Amino acid sequence: MNSAAAKDRITQLSETLKRHNYAYYILSNPSISDYEFDQLLKELEQLESEFPEFAWEDSPTRIVGGDITKNFEQVAHKYPMLSLGNTYSEAELREFDERVRKVAGDQFAYVCELKFDGLAISITYENGKLLRAVTRGDGTKGDDVTANVKTIRSIPHVLTGNFPPLFEIRGEIFMHRKTFDRLNQNLRQSLLEQGVDEDKIADRLYKNPRNFASGSLKMQDSTEVAKRGLDAFLYFVYADQSVASSHAESLALASTWGFQVNQNYELCRNMDEVWAFIQKMDKERPKLSFDIDGIVIKVNAYDLQQELGFTAKIPRWAIAYKYKTESALTLLEKVSYQVGRTGAITPVANLKPVSLGGTTVKRASLYNADEMERLDLHTHDWVYVEKGGEIIPKVTGVALQKRDLFAAKITYITACPECKTPLQRKEGEVVHYCPNDSHCPPQLIGRLEHFVSRRAMNIDGLGSETVAGLFKAGLVQTYADLYLLTFEQLNGLEFESLDDVEGKVKKRSIKEKTAANILEGLAASKQIPFERVLFALGIRMVGETVAKKLARQFGSIDKLMEADKDSIAGMYEIGEKIADQVINFFQDAENRNTIAKLQSAGLQFEIAASEGLERSAILEGKKFLVSGTFSISRDDLKALIERNGGKIVGSISKSLDYLIAGEKMGPEKLKKANDLQINIISEETFRALLVQPE
Ligand code: IVH
């Protein structure tokens, strides 16, 4: 493309994408699909990299997404971001009211608002346009997270109505509980698929929506932030000139400018009304779609606020009443042990049903043997349960005064409750494992679940519960058995599913339509490419990327099964640990047998010829380093080298045979390669190397 045409196209794409962004983020009404949007964005990125001189300073590639903000810039707050005094007690709340009353007399009002459990943000608008968004930081200066805040749909980029020319609005950024559950589930799934052990997964998941929200807001890549579904409520306006005479009025005004103001606020004339609001919201709290941790009480009239003023740290005209974490006392009926799909054991307290935070709790996590030891649990103890940020409640303590004199200490099990294999505990780890991964039922079910999951064989109609049902009904043991299922076996099959939180067992059955769907899904899965089949086998440490590399390097399952450890471990970014897992997996006779069955069922165990992945040994023994950008992705280029017998190395050294130099290669690398007299070749020259001599 010539330079004039490129300039035109860049302008056209930038304008179009801005319009779509506006429709998406501000009007909440996307005008094209995400996919179409991403395609246009990619085209723009490509053009901008070729013709950087025409890129807009506020190009859509920079504003949403892109790796622009490596570190956040610190910005001083024009008005310090103070915190609030807080209390958990009604008496202290009444003391606060008395102090206020001494200054304000009796005829005034409070505004009671929800105290959102998120992170504070201060957003500056100039002439109705979002200028800057800064986190609370240390109260005097915070992180400039404007690019990220702009991805939050409920925060307007452009205001409507009659707003002051320059002002700051403060509020709270948070994540809805449902979004949190969904994203955390996805994260869990992808960690499992990457081969992360179950006991390590808990540490890597977010503990509550607040953490997830704050982690998201501090991400460097705004396109990622946009996927986190963050939301915001605004609750305070700061402007140099007066915009309203009371807080409630400013909230109403802020709504007319386009801000999302939570409508659960009330004007109260005295502490009795305040207290009634606090209690009402405490009851309604479980029904909200987001977490709150209390109620904020603010004097409504601005002139009174001013008169009351501030202490060094906090306003005298506002206070936060915080709800205590609810706990309940109940009887421990027994401790049971769950076996996870990787064999990790979790002890669970089975409780006399008790009501807590709006739900009935029957089970609570005891985490591991150390935690049980810490609690020193005895039979029929009375225990305190709490709902933390986690979905499953936890046991926090024992009411010792209620312990029976003859109660026996509960000791941790030594054998797997499902298959009776003696448990193991690795050095330095807290979790016990059942090592019987090829016969222990929950572990077999886990492998089946992984096999049918969306990113593996993606079999329609077969979710985790159905798979577990098929296993328990004795219809499938390994994933090869799935391909022998018949309509008669599936149709009407009844199975049970267990609700983790409440421990309720629900009965379910497979309907005619689902049965047909499952069979169709299984038939369709026979076309799933080899690399995904390889991933679906559930070899430890073989996630999607490794599966892809192995598939491309070896081309077929037969070649991979014949491969020795060195030829796997020698691959770029594979290494010995993964190679060991692969070798172990294929040495197991049962695994080989299962694969043979899958082969006869017609699954793809070779790379498709259409992918044109020819292989050769033409680069045998040669070491390559690739740097810069090429006509194909760097990963594809590396795969091409490996398929032809070459080796990829990560750094320049004397033993390097070729450096393939792409566009935008770093100058230091070039210099070092020159100094060491390495062969520096272009992509074209490299491709010429691949042509077999006649
Ligand atoms: S007003 C000077 N209102 O709670 C007034 N804060 O503990 C400043 N918060 O830093 C804050 N919901 O992050 C206010 N409705 C609400 C709030 C709220 C949550 C947070 C905010 C603040 C912290 C104080």
Side-chain angles (χ1 to χ4, degrees):
M1 189 179 286
N2 70 30
S3 141
K7 187 174 177 193
D8 283 350
R9 184 70 184 145
I10 286 178
T11 307
Q12 194 187 19
L13 283 168
S14 303
E15 278 171 357
T16 313
L17 287 164
K18 283 213 154 179
R19 264 203 329 276
H20 291 313
N21 264 336
Y22 183 81
Y24 183 82
Y25 291 117
I26 302 191
L27 306 177
S28 302
N29 190 8
S31 36
I32 51 170
S33 71
D34 286 2
Y35 176 74
E36 289 168 293
F37 183 93
D38 289 340
Q39 294 307 304
L40 295 176
L41 197 67
K42 265 200 196 123
E43 188 188 341
L44 181 60
E45 268 169 6
Q46 177 61 34
L47 276 175
E48 285 179 347
S49 74
E50 279 176 51
F51 300 93
E53 67 274 28
F54 300 137
W56 291 15
E57 206 182 302
D58 60 346
S59 159
T61 59
R62 299 184 195 182
I63 298 287
V64 182
D67 305 324
I68 32 149
T69 42
K70 275 286 159 279
N71 283 305
F72 295 106
E73 203 186 315
Q74 297 257 299
V75 178
H77 294 298
K78 186 166 169 191
Y79 314 93
M81 279 185 92
L82 299 175
S83 83
L84 292 175
N86 65 48
T87 177
Y88 290 88
S89 99
E90 184 185 352
E92 280 180 20
L93 199 58
R94 292 192 183 270
E95 285 166 23
F96 161 80
D97 179 52
E98 282 183 9
R99 290 194 298 273
V100 172
R101 239 159 245 286
K102 276 196 187 130
V103 177
D106 279 336
Q107 295 301 311
F108 72 96
Y110 288 115
V111 178
C112 289
E113 287 167 22
L114 305 184
K115 180 162 163 36
F116 312 105
D117 197 9
L119 50 142
I121 193 80
S122 178
I123 318 175
T124 305
Y125 283 81
E126 193 175 40
N127 298 322
K129 292 210 178 94
L130 194 164
L131 185 67
R132 201 183 308 112
V134 183
T135 61
R136 194 168 109 122
D138 63 4
T140 55
K141 56 181 185 325
D143 279 344
D144 182 336
V145 288
T146 311
N148 288 348
V149 165
K150 280 187 170 170
T151 68
I152 301 175
R153 288 175 185 226
S154 53
I155 294 182
H157 293 200
V158 180
L159 302 181
T160 52
N162 196 12
F163 44 81
L166 182 67
F167 70 96
E168 268 184 59
I169 189 157
R170 296 207 174 146
E172 203 82 355
I173 291 176
F174 66 95
M175 188 182 271
H176 291 274
R177 275 198 294 269
K178 272 221 170 99
T179 314
F180 169 76
D181 291 344
R182 178 169 51 81
L183 294 180
N184 236 12
Q185 262 325 105
N186 290 351
L187 181 59
R188 184 191 159 78
Q189 187 64 27
S190 79
L191 289 171
L192 276 174
E193 287 167 4
Q194 286 163 29
V196 176
D197 278 354
E198 194 135 4
D199 61 317
K200 305 237 166 54
I201 285 181
D203 289 341
R204 309 238 322 238
L205 294 179
Y206 287 93
K207 291 285 172 290
N208 57 49
R210 206 211 88 86
N211 285 352
F212 214 149
S214 75
S216 304
L217 198 71
K218 291 295 181 81
M219 289 170 80
Q220 298 294 335
D221 181 355
S222 305
T223 19
E224 259 316 301
V225 183
K227 293 180 195 154
R228 301 292 180 93
L230 297 177
D231 204 346
F233 285 125
L234 284 308
Y235 50 63
F236 215 87
V237 180
Y238 283 89
D240 284 342
Q241 87 245 52
S242 112
V243 283
S245 63
S246 71
H247 179 60
E249 208 182 304
S250 78
L251 290 181
L253 273 176
S255 297
T256 67
W257 303 336
F259 293 107
Q260 176 164 259
V261 173
N262 185 277
Q263 293 304 314
N264 278 306
Y265 69 87
E266 249 174 44
L267 275 170
C268 298
R269 282 164 302 177
N270 53 46
M271 264 301 128
D272 290 341
E273 287 184 10
V274 168
W275 189 244
F277 181 79
I278 289 176
Q279 290 190 308
K280 181 177 87 177
M281 286 321 303
D282 195 15
K283 279 210 194 75
E284 286 181 16
R285 189 146 80 105
K287 288 187 234 146
L288 297 172
S289 67
F290 49 86
D291 286 343
I292 61 170
D293 57 347
I295 299 293
V296 179
I297 300 115
K298 301 172 183 170
V299 168
N300 188 29
Y302 279 162
D303 52 358
L304 274 182
Q305 286 190 4
Q306 221 160 20
E307 220 176 306
L308 284 153
F310 293 84
T311 71
K313 283 202 322 228
I314 51 171
R316 289 201 185 87
W317 44 264
I319 192 165
Y321 175 85
K322 292 181 81 170
Y323 294 122
K324 285 192 207 89
T325 314
E326 230 189 304
S327 79
L329 186 62
T330 189
L331 182 71
L332 172 69
E333 288 180 337
K334 68 169 191 197
V335 173
S336 60
Y337 296 83
Q338 279 179 353
V339 187
R341 49 177 130 170
T342 58
I345 310 289
T346 312
V348 175
N350 293 252
L351 309 164
K352 183 168 175 238
V354 62
S355 156
L356 183 65
T359 50
T360 305
V361 173
K362 290 179 187 157
R363 286 142 57 83
S365 177
L366 292 166
Y367 298 103
N368 52 53
D370 288 356
E371 177 65 7
M372 274 175 61
E373 194 56 41
R374 185 189 74 77
L375 290 164
D376 186 32
L377 287 182
H378 281 56
T379 48
H380 303 297
D381 265 345
W382 283 78
V383 294
Y384 293 102
V385 278
E386 259 182 32
K387 258 192 183 169
E390 296 83 15
I391 305 157
I392 301 178
K394 60 180 176 194
V395 173
T396 53
V398 176
L400 289 176
Q401 71 279 13
K402 287 177 100 102
R403 178 173 288 165
D404 190 283
L405 197 57
F406 301 104
K409 188 175 161 102
I410 301 177
T411 50
Y412 204 82
I413 48 168
T414 52
C416 174
E418 300 274 349
C419 69
K420 310 292 174 248
T421 306
L423 298 181
Q424 289 178 358
R425 183 176 183 169
K426 288 181 212 147
E427 261 309 284
E429 291 195 7
V430 290
V431 172
H432 283 78
Y433 275 96
C434 166
N436 181 16
D437 57 358
S438 46
H439 292 104
C440 180
Q443 298 189 60
L444 291 178
I445 294 174
R447 287 170 72 174
L448 288 168
E449 284 173 350
H450 170 72
F451 186 82
V452 303
S453 70
R454 193 174 47 82
R455 286 155 81 170
M457 301 304 279
N458 190 23
I459 297 166
D460 262 0
L462 269 186
S464 303
E465 290 183 346
T466 317
V467 161
L470 292 172
F471 180 89
K472 286 178 190 150
L475 292 175
V476 290
Q477 277 277 323
T478 73
Y479 28 67
D481 302 332
L482 290 169
Y483 292 90
L484 304 174
L485 288 169
T486 63
F487 181 80
E488 288 68 33
Q489 285 174 326
L490 290 169
N491 188 23
L493 183 78
E494 289 198 341
F495 59 92
E496 294 179 338
S497 70
L498 186 71
D499 182 310
D500 248 1
V501 180
E502 305 210 3
K504 261 188 218 151
V505 176
K506 291 179 282 182
K507 277 230 180 297
R508 293 188 34 193
S509 71
I510 298 179
K511 311 255 163 6
E512 207 175 311
K513 185 144 182 279
T514 312
N517 260 352
I518 295 174
L519 291 175
E520 262 171 43
L522 284 164
S525 76
K526 294 181 184 171
Q527 300 312 319
I528 296 270
F530 173 43
E531 59 191 43
R532 271 174 60 191
V533 178
L534 190 54
F535 168 60
L537 296 181
I539 306 170
R540 272 185 192 235
M541 299 181 77
V542 178
E544 282 166 296
T545 317
V546 173
K548 201 181 263 180
K549 283 189 178 150
L550 290 171
R552 292 191 180 169
Q553 170 74 359
F554 293 95
S556 73
I557 195 99
D558 294 332
K559 287 258 160 46
L560 180 59
M561 292 205 291
E562 282 165 17
D564 59 11
K565 184 174 159 185
D566 287 347
S567 58
I568 301 174
M571 284 169 66
Y572 185 64
E573 284 178 346
I574 298 279
E576 293 216 353
K577 277 191 172 168
I578 297 179
D580 278 338
Q581 295 290 354
V582 175
I583 300 283
N584 280 348
F585 184 89
F586 290 122
Q587 263 170 6
D588 184 309
E590 286 183 46
N591 287 339
R592 281 177 168 265
N593 190 14
T594 306
I595 287 165
K597 286 186 193 159
L598 289 175
Q599 276 176 313
S600 45
L603 271 66
Q604 302 296 316
F605 278 107
E606 273 178 32
I607 263 188
S610 62
E611 287 176 48
L613 295 173
E614 280 180 27
R615 306 166 51 79
S616 81
I618 202 160
L619 306 176
E620 193 73 53
K622 296 278 181 274
K623 288 189 183 153
F624 289 82
L625 186 121
V626 298
S627 178
T629 58
F630 302 92
S631 70
I632 53 176
S633 79
R634 260 213 298 274
D635 273 350
D636 284 346
L637 183 60
K638 285 175 188 165
L640 188 62
I641 296 169
E642 289 184 333
R643 276 203 312 280
N644 289 284
K647 253 192 123 164
I648 312 282
V649 296
S651 63
I652 300 181
S653 72
K654 265 205 162 133
S655 69
L656 183 65
D657 293 293
Y658 294 99
L659 168 70
I660 313 183
E663 273 178 52
K664 291 198 242 150
M665 171 181 159
E668 306 88 62
K669 271 203 185 127
L670 199 60
K671 180 170 180 306
K672 192 162 178 201
N674 270 323
D675 290 349
L676 292 175
Q677 296 184 332
I678 308 271
N679 263 322
I680 303 172
I681 58 173
S682 67
E683 182 181 342
E684 287 69 41
T685 315
F686 164 72
R687 286 186 185 273
L689 291 180
L690 293 178
V691 181
Q692 306 262 4
E694 291 292 305

